[in-house]
Amino acid sequence: MVIVMTPEATQDDIEAIIGLVAAAGGEAFASRGVNRTIVGLIGDVEQFATLNLRGMPGVADVVRVSTPYKLVSRDNHPQRSTVTVRGVPIGPDTVTLIAGPCAVETPRQTLEAALMAKAAGATLLRGGAYKPRTSPYAFQGLGEEGLRILADVREQTGLPIVTEVVDAHDVALVASYADMLQVGTRNAQNFALLQAVGAAGKPVMLKRGMTATIEEWLMAAEYVAQRGNLDIVLCERGIRTYEPATRNTLDVSAVPVVQRLSHLPVIVDPSHSGGRRDLVLPLSRAAIAAGADGLIVDVHPHPEQALCDGPQALVDGDLDDLAAVLRDFPPLLGRTAT
Ligand code: E4P
Ligand code: PEP
């Protein structure tokens, strides 16, 4: 069961509901969105039905939700949400480009990649300081030094930072630098991490687990929402299939499917999906055509020297083509590129 609060609801109104639900043997979790607060209830729905929650001050609606995910479901939140990252919107009216290096390697490489991204129309900078690598011998990222580099590059370019956190213990540190916290495919069902980012007070980008069903992905998002944070952007980044021609298979149908099931914005990562530079533009076009609310794309000034994922990074000339995609495609769908 979910309680939708009015925009005018006060903290006392919310706490009164939490107290009433607790007294009835249940648990209530408040998630504050930009426009309104939603309170998800766990426990005996029939017992809650006796509490006259609809008559409580500040309550706009009480909804019985049949999906296993409640707070991120579109059932009780019919309008699609816009998540704002330091003033940059990600939502149904826009197509937002997040771009930058896969990994932060040096100050110069990060700045060059950020300037390339900005020239292509990016309004948010991506870059990993903590890299989840298949091999323990592969470059693992610069850690806090990488976060400092990102902060300097934000200062120089004005681009807010999206960066991954791979361990619940690092969430506070990464959140002290980041404008948006990324949870990657490999940690998409790391529930302690999801709860920690949910409590960190920063917008979250949650990638789809490479073997996750859409329902599992939305339940992962529910862990974040349950800790009080509805500023979540979902990212389809390709799933594992039997096809080895691409690194992953971009599940383009996930975009409209998830948008029907959830009010959260959905973006696409064409770089990690295809794993190949030559596929990034076609997959970007497909994503926008399917209704994606944004793209997250790897760029690198010298991909042949990249310490992570060079083969999928866009270089100079490609960025003009990406800029053209962002100029031409979103208006066809009534959207603005941001
Ligand atoms: C994302 O950037 C990941 O860290 C990267 O794609 C992992 O690649 P790997 O499997 O080569 O370690
Ligand atoms: C990334 O975007 O840096 C990343 C690690 O991607 P994924 O989790 O999708 O592999």
Side-chain angles (χ1 to χ4, degrees), residues 3 12 16-17 39 78 100 105 140 143 185 198-199 208 236 240 260 263 273 278 302 306 312 319:
I3 301 175
D12 284 350
I17 287 169
V39 184
E105 298 165 8
Q140 306 283 314
T185 194
R208 180 179 183 178
E236 161 60 42
R240 272 279 167 84
R260 291 229 171 104
H263 58 90
S273 301
D278 63 320
H302 306 289
Q312 69 195 31
L319 293 168

Tab-separated table of all heavy atoms in Angstrom, residues 3 12 16-17 39 78 100 105 140 143 185 198-199 208 236 240 260 263 273 278 302 306 312 319:
chain	number	residue	atom	x	y	z
A	3	ILE	N	0.860	5.634	0.296
A	3	ILE	CA	0.113	6.851	0.603
A	3	ILE	C	0.761	8.005	-0.155
A	3	ILE	O	1.971	8.233	-0.030
A	3	ILE	CB	0.129	7.144	2.110
A	3	ILE	CG1	-0.493	5.953	2.830
A	3	ILE	CG2	-0.602	8.423	2.425
A	3	ILE	CD1	-0.445	6.051	4.299
A	12	ASP	N	5.123	16.837	10.205
A	12	ASP	CA	4.296	16.280	11.288
A	12	ASP	C	3.223	15.343	10.720
A	12	ASP	O	2.930	14.298	11.296
A	12	ASP	CB	3.607	17.408	12.078
A	12	ASP	CG	4.597	18.107	13.003
A	12	ASP	OD1	5.726	17.586	13.147
A	12	ASP	OD2	4.242	19.177	13.539
A	16	ALA	N	2.985	11.480	11.654
A	16	ALA	CA	1.763	10.931	12.262
A	16	ALA	C	1.386	9.620	11.567
A	16	ALA	O	0.991	8.638	12.210
A	16	ALA	CB	0.630	11.947	12.150
A	17	ILE	N	1.547	9.582	10.267
A	17	ILE	CA	1.217	8.356	9.528
A	17	ILE	C	2.200	7.243	9.882
A	17	ILE	O	1.802	6.105	10.157
A	17	ILE	CB	1.230	8.646	8.012
A	17	ILE	CG1	-0.003	9.477	7.690
A	17	ILE	CG2	1.249	7.360	7.196
A	17	ILE	CD1	-0.012	10.061	6.338
A	39	VAL	N	4.543	7.698	0.797
A	39	VAL	CA	4.894	6.847	1.937
A	39	VAL	C	4.487	5.411	1.581
A	39	VAL	O	3.311	5.143	1.303
A	39	VAL	CB	4.159	7.307	3.221
A	39	VAL	CG1	4.626	6.471	4.411
A	39	VAL	CG2	4.397	8.791	3.484
A	78	PRO	N	1.182	8.621	-11.793
A	78	PRO	CA	0.979	8.502	-13.236
A	78	PRO	C	1.870	9.414	-14.084
A	78	PRO	O	2.234	9.053	-15.196
A	78	PRO	CB	-0.491	8.880	-13.436
A	78	PRO	CG	-1.095	8.934	-12.087
A	78	PRO	CD	-0.007	8.991	-11.062
A	100	GLY	N	31.757	11.480	-21.104
A	100	GLY	CA	33.051	11.672	-20.456
A	100	GLY	C	33.830	10.377	-20.532
A	100	GLY	O	33.396	9.405	-21.145
A	105	GLU	N	41.767	9.023	-15.573
A	105	GLU	CA	43.140	8.511	-15.591
A	105	GLU	C	44.131	9.578	-15.150
A	105	GLU	O	44.985	9.345	-14.304
A	105	GLU	CB	43.473	8.005	-17.001
A	105	GLU	CG	42.576	6.846	-17.432
A	105	GLU	CD	42.649	6.566	-18.930
A	105	GLU	OE1	43.506	7.155	-19.628
A	105	GLU	OE2	41.827	5.770	-19.422
A	140	GLN	N	41.935	-0.269	-11.533
A	140	GLN	CA	40.771	-0.225	-10.629
A	140	GLN	C	40.276	1.193	-10.377
A	140	GLN	O	39.341	1.395	-9.604
A	140	GLN	CB	41.137	-0.867	-9.284
A	140	GLN	CG	41.699	-2.281	-9.384
A	140	GLN	CD	40.625	-3.346	-9.635
A	140	GLN	OE1	39.601	-3.337	-8.976
A	140	GLN	NE2	40.874	-4.231	-10.589
A	143	GLY	N	40.520	6.175	-7.276
A	143	GLY	CA	39.928	6.396	-5.959
A	143	GLY	C	39.707	7.880	-5.695
A	143	GLY	O	39.336	8.637	-6.594
A	185	THR	N	26.255	-2.017	-13.272
A	185	THR	CA	25.582	-3.285	-13.542
A	185	THR	C	26.023	-4.384	-12.581
A	185	THR	O	25.240	-5.233	-12.173
A	185	THR	CB	25.829	-3.703	-15.003
A	185	THR	OG1	24.931	-4.732	-15.341
A	185	THR	CG2	27.262	-4.161	-15.280
A	198	GLY	N	20.718	5.307	-1.364
A	198	GLY	CA	19.378	5.867	-1.147
A	198	GLY	C	19.352	6.867	-0.007
A	198	GLY	O	18.553	7.796	0.000
A	199	ALA	N	20.252	6.671	0.948
A	199	ALA	CA	20.270	7.556	2.121
A	199	ALA	C	21.259	8.705	1.966
A	199	ALA	O	21.397	9.529	2.863
A	199	ALA	CB	20.626	6.736	3.353
A	208	ARG	N	21.042	-1.194	-15.142
A	208	ARG	CA	20.375	-2.492	-15.092
A	208	ARG	C	21.426	-3.589	-14.917
A	208	ARG	O	22.454	-3.581	-15.605
A	208	ARG	CB	19.629	-2.714	-16.407
A	208	ARG	CG	18.903	-4.036	-16.480
A	208	ARG	CD	18.176	-4.153	-17.800
A	208	ARG	NE	17.418	-5.380	-17.877
A	208	ARG	CZ	16.657	-5.713	-18.911
A	208	ARG	NH1	16.564	-4.892	-19.957
A	208	ARG	NH2	15.990	-6.839	-18.922
A	236	GLU	N	19.488	1.635	-18.986
A	236	GLU	CA	19.598	0.369	-19.736
A	236	GLU	C	20.982	0.364	-20.402
A	236	GLU	O	21.316	1.274	-21.163
A	236	GLU	CB	18.477	0.315	-20.793
A	236	GLU	CG	18.686	-0.673	-21.922
A	236	GLU	CD	18.823	-2.125	-21.472
A	236	GLU	OE1	18.073	-2.545	-20.586
A	236	GLU	OE2	19.691	-2.820	-22.038
A	240	ARG	N	23.163	-9.563	-21.001
A	240	ARG	CA	23.887	-10.741	-21.482
A	240	ARG	C	22.953	-11.601	-22.322
A	240	ARG	O	21.886	-11.980	-21.842
A	240	ARG	CB	24.341	-11.585	-20.301
A	240	ARG	CG	25.667	-11.224	-19.731
A	240	ARG	CD	26.780	-11.831	-20.568
A	240	ARG	NE	28.066	-11.243	-20.219
A	240	ARG	CZ	28.809	-11.639	-19.210
A	240	ARG	NH1	28.407	-12.614	-18.431
A	240	ARG	NH2	29.960	-11.077	-18.958
A	260	ARG	N	6.390	2.488	-18.972
A	260	ARG	CA	4.980	2.180	-18.644
A	260	ARG	C	4.847	1.739	-17.201
A	260	ARG	O	3.832	1.982	-16.556
A	260	ARG	CB	4.474	1.031	-19.524
A	260	ARG	CG	4.346	1.460	-20.935
A	260	ARG	CD	3.035	1.114	-21.589
A	260	ARG	NE	3.055	1.820	-22.868
A	260	ARG	CZ	3.268	1.247	-24.029
A	260	ARG	NH1	3.379	-0.044	-24.094
A	260	ARG	NH2	3.317	1.967	-25.121
A	263	HIS	N	7.536	5.534	-13.003
A	263	HIS	CA	7.569	6.971	-13.332
A	263	HIS	C	8.993	7.495	-13.470
A	263	HIS	O	9.209	8.643	-13.851
A	263	HIS	CB	6.821	7.773	-12.259
A	263	HIS	CG	7.362	7.597	-10.862
A	263	HIS	ND1	8.337	8.403	-10.346
A	263	HIS	CD2	7.073	6.695	-9.887
A	263	HIS	CE1	8.614	8.022	-9.094
A	263	HIS	NE2	7.861	6.982	-8.805
A	273	SER	N	26.709	-1.053	-24.003
A	273	SER	CA	25.831	-2.037	-24.655
A	273	SER	C	26.570	-2.728	-25.794
A	273	SER	O	26.736	-3.944	-25.794
A	273	SER	CB	24.596	-1.363	-25.255
A	273	SER	OG	23.870	-0.691	-24.296
A	278	ASP	N	31.861	1.856	-33.348
A	278	ASP	CA	31.033	1.999	-34.561
A	278	ASP	C	29.542	1.779	-34.273
A	278	ASP	O	28.704	2.096	-35.120
A	278	ASP	CB	31.507	1.027	-35.659
A	278	ASP	CG	31.353	-0.428	-35.246
A	278	ASP	OD1	31.629	-0.747	-34.071
A	278	ASP	OD2	30.937	-1.241	-36.081
A	302	HIS	N	42.371	9.817	-26.392
A	302	HIS	CA	43.300	8.851	-27.021
A	302	HIS	C	42.846	7.442	-26.647
A	302	HIS	O	43.472	6.785	-25.791
A	302	HIS	CB	44.735	9.108	-26.530
A	302	HIS	CG	45.183	10.510	-26.722
A	302	HIS	ND1	45.464	11.040	-27.964
A	302	HIS	CD2	45.338	11.516	-25.827
A	302	HIS	CE1	45.801	12.312	-27.834
A	302	HIS	NE2	45.727	12.635	-26.551
A	306	ALA	N	43.640	4.156	-23.602
A	306	ALA	CA	42.707	4.153	-22.458
A	306	ALA	C	42.992	2.979	-21.522
A	306	ALA	O	43.323	1.880	-21.975
A	306	ALA	CB	41.269	4.080	-22.961
A	312	GLN	N	35.305	1.240	-27.092
A	312	GLN	CA	33.939	1.780	-27.206
A	312	GLN	C	33.899	3.305	-27.061
A	312	GLN	O	32.831	3.918	-27.166
A	312	GLN	CB	33.021	1.138	-26.176
A	312	GLN	CG	33.334	1.528	-24.737
A	312	GLN	CD	32.677	0.621	-23.716
A	312	GLN	OE1	32.471	-0.580	-23.967
A	312	GLN	NE2	32.324	1.143	-22.557
A	319	LEU	N	32.275	12.817	-32.375
A	319	LEU	CA	31.493	13.698	-31.501
A	319	LEU	C	30.655	14.677	-32.307
A	319	LEU	O	29.565	15.071	-31.886
A	319	LEU	CB	32.419	14.416	-30.529
A	319	LEU	CG	33.023	13.401	-29.549
A	319	LEU	CD1	34.157	14.000	-28.770
A	319	LEU	CD2	31.969	12.870	-28.621
